[in-house]
PDB file of all heavy atoms in Angstrom:
ATOM      1  N   ALA K 134       4.838  15.547  -1.152  1.00  0.00           N
ATOM      2  CA  ALA K 134       6.041  16.387  -1.113  1.00  0.00           C
ATOM      3  C   ALA K 134       6.089  17.221  -2.402  1.00  0.00           C
ATOM      4  O   ALA K 134       6.376  18.429  -2.357  1.00  0.00           O
ATOM      5  CB  ALA K 134       7.283  15.521  -0.985  1.00  0.00           C
ATOM      6  N   ALA K 135       5.801  16.616  -3.526  1.00  0.00           N
ATOM      7  CA  ALA K 135       5.810  17.345  -4.801  1.00  0.00           C
ATOM      8  C   ALA K 135       4.777  18.483  -4.760  1.00  0.00           C
ATOM      9  O   ALA K 135       5.063  19.596  -5.192  1.00  0.00           O
ATOM     10  CB  ALA K 135       5.529  16.387  -5.973  1.00  0.00           C
ATOM     11  N   ALA K 136       3.587  18.168  -4.244  1.00  0.00           N
ATOM     12  CA  ALA K 136       2.534  19.188  -4.171  1.00  0.00           C
ATOM     13  C   ALA K 136       2.952  20.359  -3.284  1.00  0.00           C
ATOM     14  O   ALA K 136       2.517  21.485  -3.522  1.00  0.00           O
ATOM     15  CB  ALA K 136       1.235  18.561  -3.660  1.00  0.00           C
ATOM     16  N   LYS K 137       3.798  20.096  -2.289  1.00  0.00           N
ATOM     17  CA  LYS K 137       4.244  21.138  -1.368  1.00  0.00           C
ATOM     18  C   LYS K 137       5.570  21.773  -1.802  1.00  0.00           C
ATOM     19  O   LYS K 137       6.154  22.586  -1.081  1.00  0.00           O
ATOM     20  CB  LYS K 137       4.355  20.573   0.049  1.00  0.00           C
ATOM     21  CG  LYS K 137       3.032  20.162   0.644  1.00  0.00           C
ATOM     22  CD  LYS K 137       3.238  19.543   2.026  1.00  0.00           C
ATOM     23  CE  LYS K 137       1.949  19.076   2.633  1.00  0.00           C
ATOM     24  NZ  LYS K 137       0.983  20.111   2.871  1.00  0.00           N
ATOM     25  N   GLY K 138       6.084  21.314  -2.957  1.00  0.00           N
ATOM     26  CA  GLY K 138       7.351  21.859  -3.459  1.00  0.00           C
ATOM     27  C   GLY K 138       8.568  21.317  -2.754  1.00  0.00           C
ATOM     28  O   GLY K 138       9.644  21.912  -2.826  1.00  0.00           O
ATOM     29  N   ILE K 139       8.446  20.176  -2.099  1.00  0.00           N
ATOM     30  CA  ILE K 139       9.584  19.557  -1.377  1.00  0.00           C
ATOM     31  C   ILE K 139      10.247  18.546  -2.293  1.00  0.00           C
ATOM     32  O   ILE K 139       9.609  17.594  -2.764  1.00  0.00           O
ATOM     33  CB  ILE K 139       9.088  18.844  -0.107  1.00  0.00           C
ATOM     34  CG1 ILE K 139       8.445  19.840   0.863  1.00  0.00           C
ATOM     35  CG2 ILE K 139      10.264  18.114   0.565  1.00  0.00           C
ATOM     36  CD1 ILE K 139       7.772  19.180   2.055  1.00  0.00           C
ATOM     37  N   GLU K 140      11.523  18.735  -2.566  1.00  0.00           N
ATOM     38  CA  GLU K 140      12.271  17.774  -3.368  1.00  0.00           C
ATOM     39  C   GLU K 140      12.772  16.647  -2.469  1.00  0.00           C
ATOM     40  O   GLU K 140      13.376  16.887  -1.414  1.00  0.00           O
ATOM     41  CB  GLU K 140      13.471  18.448  -4.062  1.00  0.00           C
ATOM     42  CG  GLU K 140      14.251  17.475  -4.924  1.00  0.00           C
ATOM     43  CD  GLU K 140      15.459  18.108  -5.568  1.00  0.00           C
ATOM     44  OE1 GLU K 140      15.736  19.286  -5.340  1.00  0.00           O
ATOM     45  OE2 GLU K 140      16.136  17.382  -6.342  1.00  0.00           O
ATOM     46  N   ILE K 141      12.571  15.426  -2.905  1.00  0.00           N
ATOM     47  CA  ILE K 141      13.083  14.252  -2.224  1.00  0.00           C
ATOM     48  C   ILE K 141      14.116  13.607  -3.127  1.00  0.00           C
ATOM     49  O   ILE K 141      13.807  13.234  -4.257  1.00  0.00           O
ATOM     50  CB  ILE K 141      11.938  13.240  -1.897  1.00  0.00           C
ATOM     51  CG1 ILE K 141      10.956  13.867  -0.947  1.00  0.00           C
ATOM     52  CG2 ILE K 141      12.511  11.931  -1.361  1.00  0.00           C
ATOM     53  CD1 ILE K 141       9.741  13.007  -0.652  1.00  0.00           C
ATOM     54  N   ARG K 142      15.315  13.471  -2.628  1.00  0.00           N
ATOM     55  CA  ARG K 142      16.369  12.806  -3.391  1.00  0.00           C
ATOM     56  C   ARG K 142      16.354  11.304  -3.181  1.00  0.00           C
ATOM     57  O   ARG K 142      16.624  10.527  -4.078  1.00  0.00           O
ATOM     58  CB  ARG K 142      17.737  13.389  -3.026  1.00  0.00           C
ATOM     59  CG  ARG K 142      17.964  14.806  -3.576  1.00  0.00           C
ATOM     60  CD  ARG K 142      19.367  15.324  -3.242  1.00  0.00           C
ATOM     61  NE  ARG K 142      19.563  15.514  -1.815  1.00  0.00           N
ATOM     62  CZ  ARG K 142      19.222  16.628  -1.165  1.00  0.00           C
ATOM     63  NH1 ARG K 142      18.670  17.634  -1.813  1.00  0.00           N
ATOM     64  NH2 ARG K 142      19.431  16.750   0.122  1.00  0.00           N
ATOM     65  N   LYS K 143      15.995  10.904  -1.965  1.00  0.00           N
ATOM     66  CA  LYS K 143      15.973   9.490  -1.639  1.00  0.00           C
ATOM     67  C   LYS K 143      14.985   9.273  -0.520  1.00  0.00           C
ATOM     68  O   LYS K 143      14.880  10.096   0.398  1.00  0.00           O
ATOM     69  CB  LYS K 143      17.383   9.015  -1.215  1.00  0.00           C
ATOM     70  CG  LYS K 143      17.471   7.525  -0.996  1.00  0.00           C
ATOM     71  CD  LYS K 143      18.912   7.093  -0.711  1.00  0.00           C
ATOM     72  CE  LYS K 143      18.933   5.594  -0.533  1.00  0.00           C
ATOM     73  NZ  LYS K 143      20.240   5.120  -0.150  1.00  0.00           N
ATOM     74  N   LEU K 144      14.222   8.182  -0.607  1.00  0.00           N
ATOM     75  CA  LEU K 144      13.207   7.855   0.401  1.00  0.00           C
ATOM     76  C   LEU K 144      13.187   6.334   0.534  1.00  0.00           C
ATOM     77  O   LEU K 144      13.159   5.611  -0.447  1.00  0.00           O
ATOM     78  CB  LEU K 144      11.846   8.366  -0.076  1.00  0.00           C
ATOM     79  CG  LEU K 144      10.640   8.063   0.809  1.00  0.00           C
ATOM     80  CD1 LEU K 144      10.739   8.806   2.152  1.00  0.00           C
ATOM     81  CD2 LEU K 144       9.348   8.476   0.071  1.00  0.00           C
ATOM     82  N   SER K 145      13.231   5.871   1.776  1.00  0.00           N
ATOM     83  CA  SER K 145      13.140   4.403   1.998  1.00  0.00           C
ATOM     84  C   SER K 145      12.453   4.122   3.312  1.00  0.00           C
ATOM     85  O   SER K 145      12.307   5.024   4.184  1.00  0.00           O
ATOM     86  CB  SER K 145      14.530   3.778   1.982  1.00  0.00           C
ATOM     87  OG  SER K 145      15.334   4.261   3.045  1.00  0.00           O
ATOM     88  N   PHE K 146      11.985   2.904   3.442  1.00  0.00           N
ATOM     89  CA  PHE K 146      11.228   2.459   4.615  1.00  0.00           C
ATOM     90  C   PHE K 146      11.777   1.130   5.114  1.00  0.00           C
ATOM     91  O   PHE K 146      12.000   0.233   4.302  1.00  0.00           O
ATOM     92  CB  PHE K 146       9.745   2.293   4.301  1.00  0.00           C
ATOM     93  CG  PHE K 146       9.084   3.553   3.848  1.00  0.00           C
ATOM     94  CD1 PHE K 146       9.109   3.941   2.522  1.00  0.00           C
ATOM     95  CD2 PHE K 146       8.454   4.391   4.753  1.00  0.00           C
ATOM     96  CE1 PHE K 146       8.536   5.112   2.095  1.00  0.00           C
ATOM     97  CE2 PHE K 146       7.882   5.570   4.355  1.00  0.00           C
ATOM     98  CZ  PHE K 146       7.915   5.924   3.011  1.00  0.00           C
TER      99      PHE K 146
END
Side-chain angles (χ1 to χ4, degrees):
K137 294 177 182 298
I139 299 171
E140 181 182 3
I141 296 176
R142 287 184 294 275
K143 186 174 181 184
L144 178 66
S145 63
F146 299 87

